[in-house]
Amino acid sequence: MTSALYPTFARADLAFERGEGIRLFTVEGEEYLDFASGIAVVSVGHSHPHLVEALTDQARRLWHVSNLWEIPEQSKLGDRLTEATFADVCFFTNSGAEAVETAIKTARRYHYVNGAPERYRLITFEGAFHGRTLATIAAGGQQKYLEGFGPKVDGFDQVPFGDLDAVKAAIGSETAGILIEPVQGEGGIRVAPNAFMRALRELCDEHGLLMILDEVQSGVGRTGKLFAHEWSGVTPDIMAVAKGIGGGFPVGVCLATNDAVKGMAPGIHGTTFGGNPLAMAVGNAVLDIVLEPDFLEHVRDAGLRFRQGLARIADTYPDIVEEIRGEGLMIGIKCKVPSKDLIAALRAEHVLTVGAGENVVRLVPPLIIEPADIDLALERMDAACAALSSGVGARDGEAAQ
Ligand SMILES: *Cc1c(COP(=O)(O)O)cnc(C)c1O
């Protein structure tokens, strides 16, 4: 079949017409449990009434004016985000890659205005994912995303994830900072140990480097804290956020301290759409929910219940599951079978998931998920593993003959 779309996505043959909470409904009316959440985006579920109201109310009044003018909804969201975090200031974008790009530019300008323009390099980590712009594919360092796109943007030195000695060895006179995901998402739900995060902070302080976190996927309650770095007790100088903050509306934001942002003067950076009233209305509505007193505790409880159930499944199907990993509702199943086989078996049971690096199936349901739906999903996951397991047995049998 010919398509008018770029052939860049290997799409599954499924189309949805409607969503409600953690459920998606196809055009034919079939129901699926959504543990992909549009890649960890739909943080408070599909069609949340509070978000629908915020968006439609804003849509009736004003959509877009540009950053030529004051945008009260943007100032409000900025105030609330800085109130809730280490940061003093925010720059709103439309995507995660742009938020990371802003973080990189902020770090380079910091050293530039400090009289050290030669300090422009960032230390990044193997398995990282920071987006698909030319600079963020260089930061991520994955050959498969860099290939054929011309010279790699200079200024990124990659070391193994979690390897402190390699970080120390990579620090040089041109190093500007360290860029890390506290939990690698695309890389396979790899959690950076708290001690490692603290050691990075100490190295940054010792060498005058900026600590830059990419919390595009791990932020906004996903791990059971508002931001994943809070588990380690350290605070960064700059942080990129997107995905969950818009709950499905494209919103990204780069947060920074007053010190880290000192190179960013008027005209130095910009965006046409970033922080527009529609996006900000939805972002504020997401925060209304995520900042409710019991919300993060709900995420932690749900994550615990889910991981306990998954541990039972791992025990039952050691031929399918190698390991359960993650934090809160950012969970990975490292598979012994090809992860795409488990993803397909889960889809056959009407549970939607998404793949990640290291042969991992990512489970990132909407954070509002209730215990009954966790249990229902676990039943279906058990069934999917049972189906796969008999298949694995049958294949082994064939091979043996
Ligand atoms: C998704 C993601 C990005 C890129 O976000 P886009 O909105 O796709 O540009 C960057 N960093 C991390 C950690 C992500 O998960």
Side-chain angles (χ1 to χ4, degrees):
M1 196 172 68
T2 60
S3 165
L5 306 176
Y6 261 44
T8 43
F9 301 103
R11 299 172 197 273
D13 189 18
L14 264 180
F16 300 101
E17 171 177 75
R18 191 167 65 81
E20 195 183 312
I22 73 150
R23 288 175 166 74
L24 280 172
F25 300 88
T26 65
V27 183
E28 293 82 25
E30 285 192 47
E31 180 187 314
Y32 284 79
L33 300 181
D34 187 6
F35 279 63
S37 300
I39 316 187
V41 165
V42 188
S43 46
V44 297
H46 295 281
S47 307
H48 193 294
H50 185 59
L51 270 58
V52 172
E53 193 186 317
L55 181 63
T56 51
D57 178 59
Q58 185 63 47
R60 275 189 286 270
R61 287 185 290 118
L62 183 65
W63 291 22
H64 179 81
V65 291
S66 88
N67 290 296
L68 289 171
W69 325 114
E70 298 285 342
I71 301 177
E73 299 83 2
Q74 191 186 115
S75 305
K76 180 179 166 189
L77 186 54
D79 285 343
R80 296 175 77 190
L81 283 172
T82 55
E83 180 73 22
T85 64
F86 72 94
D88 300 308
V89 285
C90 298
F91 184 95
F92 288 99
T93 67
N94 314 289
S95 67
E98 285 172 283
V100 177
E101 191 90 26
T102 305
I104 296 167
K105 290 179 76 176
T106 304
R108 289 186 177 190
R109 281 287 298 191
Y110 168 85
H111 291 289
Y112 175 82
V113 299
N114 265 353
E118 75 284 1
R119 295 179 75 170
Y120 68 95
R121 307 192 69 83
L122 295 180
I123 295 170
T124 64
F125 293 88
E126 288 171 13
F129 182 79
H130 297 298
R132 296 296 199 105
T133 63
L134 288 169
T136 55
I137 55 175
Q142 304 255 10
Q143 201 46 42
K144 63 182 177 190
Y145 297 148
L146 285 160
E147 192 179 340
F149 291 115
K152 180 180 164 191
V153 171
D154 185 32
F156 302 97
D157 300 309
Q158 212 159 31
V159 301
F161 191 67
D163 186 339
L164 195 62
D165 289 333
V167 176
K168 285 181 187 162
I171 296 173
S173 58
E174 296 182 344
T175 307
I178 299 173
L179 168 61
I180 186 169
E181 297 156 85
V183 183
Q184 286 190 344
E186 307 294 313
I189 312 292
R190 297 208 289 170
V191 182
N194 290 335
F196 184 65
M197 294 291 287
R198 286 194 286 269
L200 291 183
R201 177 72 269 178
E202 280 169 24
L203 276 181
C204 285
D205 293 342
E206 189 182 326
H207 294 273
L209 309 178
L210 295 167
M211 184 172 186
I212 307 165
L213 298 185
D214 181 345
E215 292 231 29
V216 166
Q217 191 161 157
S218 59
V220 197
R222 178 53 60 191
T223 67
K225 296 274 190 190
L226 188 56
F227 291 99
H229 68 265
E230 294 170 28
W231 288 108
S232 69
V234 304
T235 56
D237 302 292
I238 304 173
M239 175 170 72
V241 174
K243 293 200 166 93
I245 186 70
F249 200 91
V251 186
V253 55
C254 179
L255 299 95
T257 62
N258 276 332
D259 186 45
V261 83
K262 69 183 178 193
M264 303 301 267
I268 284 297
H269 188 51
T271 169
T272 301
F273 292 120
N276 96 356
L278 288 174
M280 297 298 97
V282 182
N284 274 302
V286 168
L287 273 198
D288 290 342
I289 296 166
V290 173
L291 293 179
E292 273 174 14
D294 297 333
F295 188 84
L296 295 172
E297 197 184 321
H298 165 85
V299 176
R300 291 193 289 269
D301 289 346
L304 196 61
R305 184 185 191 92
F306 194 24
R307 267 175 297 150
Q308 282 169 346
L310 288 169
R312 284 194 296 275
I313 290 178
D315 286 344
T316 313
Y317 303 101
D319 53 334
I320 307 283
V321 178
E322 183 173 328
E323 186 194 13
I324 306 296
R325 41 165 88 161
E327 194 74 75
L329 287 171
M330 187 170 184
I331 300 175
I333 303 177
K334 185 165 166 59
C335 300
K336 284 200 182 142
V337 296
S339 58
K340 66 174 180 18
D341 292 354
L342 181 57
I343 292 169
L346 287 167
R347 194 160 65 227
E349 297 293 332
H350 286 211
V351 178
L352 302 172
T353 59
V354 53
E358 295 199 331
N359 204 36
V360 163
V361 175
R362 246 184 301 180
L363 305 166
V364 283
L367 305 178
I368 47 102
I369 191 166
E370 292 296 335
D373 282 330
I374 291 175
D375 296 347
L376 177 61
L378 286 167
E379 273 171 37
R380 294 186 185 182
M381 287 177 183
D382 191 293
C385 287
L388 257 190
S389 188
S390 59
V392 170
R395 271 204 299 279
D396 287 351
E398 276 162 34
Q401 279 164 14

